[in-house]
Every structure is written in structure tokens, then in C-alpha cells.
Amino acid sequence: MTFTRLTDGQLDALKEISNIGMGHAATALSQLIGETVRLRVPQVSVTDIAQVPELLGGSERVVVGITLQVLGDARGNILLILPEKSACQLLARLLGREETDLELNEISGSTLKEVGNILASAYLNALGSLLHMTLIPSIPLLAHDMAGAVVDHVLIELSMAGDLALMVDTEFQGDSPTQATIKGHFFLLPDPQSLNLVLKAAGGEE
């Protein structure tokens, strides 16, 4: 089974799983900063990870990428990519500072890695509950580089597991209607055996 054989029904089921996972992540982020955070999943799709730089506006566009391994009863990888501007907007909300006062340094990098950890943990908790499996994220790693370089690194890491990924578009929104919506991309890259388990849980066939 590969991602290319996903049906519309399976994609709908995976979107529902993603919405549940992001709902849990929103609760965790809200508790972290003491402010309401909403996470919306406008679209779930299958994409060739090599085409991601073009989706982000070009291979030379600077982004923040956070990668985690999926450990436990199933294996794979998770990649969260935020355009640089979105990363700074998110940090401004999380740290209660003006966006213009921020720079991506060790402290802000640690904050973004914690965001990646929260998103991954919430998503894997939702997925694990559905699969009746224990899924644990590894310690997150962060890269601040051009989109092409970030994706190339992921492709090297995943050279044995294929290059198609489940892409979950993610939007962060606070309580105030004047706050800009922060957009990010969350990618799930399960290994082939784990993909079969996910698809079976989503109503697919082996």
C-alpha cells in the first residue's frame, strides 16, 4: 500500500484524525501560554516531499523545519515546516513580545522545538488511540535554512522509506480577529509497515 492509492474516503478519515490531534495540540498550547489558541486543518493531501519547497514559495525561501522520529509500536518521521515570517509571528504570540523584537536564536529555537513536540505528541496520541498502539515522538531537531536544504536533509534521512508524505496544512489562530492567521505544514511520513496500519484504521485496505 502506498499513499498514491489513498481514496477520498481514506483522506477524509485521515483529515478527521488530524483534526482530533490538532484539537488536542491547541488545548496544550493554550495551557502553555494562557491564551486561547485554535488550530485548524483546512486540507489534508498526499504530496511528494521533494515538491515541498515549491509549495512554500521556492527552494531558496527561508523556513524553520522541526523534525521528529516516531518511536514505539510503529515507526516513521514527522516534519513541521513554518515559513520564517510565520515562525516569528508564532514566537511573538508564545513569548508575548513584538514580532520586530524577535530573532531566531537558541532560546526561540527551543520554544519552536517545544511547539513541534506538542504538535507531534498530540497528533501521535490521537493516532495511537485509534490504532490502539503506543506512539512516542523523539527529541525534536530544528533547522533554520532555505526550504530546499531542509527538505534535502529529510530526503536523505528517509531514503529507505520512500518520498511521499501525508501533508496536513495547519493554521494557528488566537481569540482576537485582528491577529493574523499563522500557517504551517505538518508532514507525517510513516514507514511502509506503519502506513498499512494507519490506512487500515482509516478504513482502507492492505
Side-chain angles (χ1 to χ4, degrees):
M1 174 68 74
T2 69
F3 273 139
T4 57
R5 294 172 58 189
L6 282 175
T7 66
D8 289 343
Q10 288 170 326
L11 279 174
D12 286 343
L14 290 172
K15 183 176 180 180
E16 181 62 25
I17 295 170
S18 301
N19 271 312
I20 292 170
M22 292 305 164
H24 292 172
T27 300
L29 283 175
S30 297
Q31 291 172 345
L32 180 69
I33 66 174
E35 178 184 334
T36 299
V37 175
R38 296 187 178 87
L39 286 174
R40 199 169 75 88
V41 179
Q43 180 177 331
V44 173
S45 59
V46 176
T47 186
D48 184 336
I49 195 76
Q51 295 179 351
V52 168
E54 297 307 314
L55 297 175
L56 297 173
S59 60
E60 295 185 357
R61 186 175 185 186
V62 178
V63 301
V64 173
I66 303 160
T67 57
L68 307 95
Q69 287 183 303
V70 179
L71 307 173
D73 297 329
R75 295 300 179 112
N77 289 269
I78 284 174
L79 171 64
L80 173 66
I81 292 184
L82 297 164
E84 187 178 42
K85 182 174 178 59
S86 292
C88 288
Q89 289 174 327
L90 181 58
L91 280 170
R93 300 256 186 95
L94 294 172
L95 301 177
R97 295 169 55 184
E98 293 294 327
E99 185 182 334
T100 53
D101 296 336
L102 286 169
E103 60 180 13
L104 288 173
N105 54 26
E106 185 174 348
I107 294 175
S108 57
S110 295
T111 302
L112 290 173
K113 284 194 283 188
E114 181 59 22
V115 170
N117 188 45
I118 288 171
L119 290 177
S121 297
Y123 191 89
L124 293 178
N125 281 339
L127 194 59
S129 295
L130 185 72
L131 298 173
H132 305 293
M133 299 174 77
T134 299
L135 302 175
I136 305 166
S138 70
I139 295 172
L141 300 176
L142 183 141
H144 179 211
D145 207 334
M146 291 186 291
V150 171
V151 171
D152 283 348
H153 175 74
V154 172
L155 285 175
I156 291 171
E157 292 291 318
L158 302 179
S159 59
M160 300 298 293
D163 55 4
L164 291 178
L166 182 71
M167 183 171 75
V168 182
D169 287 342
T170 307
E171 294 181 352
F172 301 76
Q173 181 66 57
D175 251 351
S176 172
T178 62
Q179 290 178 326
T181 299
I182 301 170
K183 296 182 179 180
H185 302 276
F186 182 93
F187 298 90
L188 175 66
L189 303 101
D191 65 23
Q193 184 178 7
S194 300
L195 174 60
N196 280 333
L197 294 172
V198 171
L199 294 183
K200 284 181 67 177
E205 300 175 349
E206 288 189 74

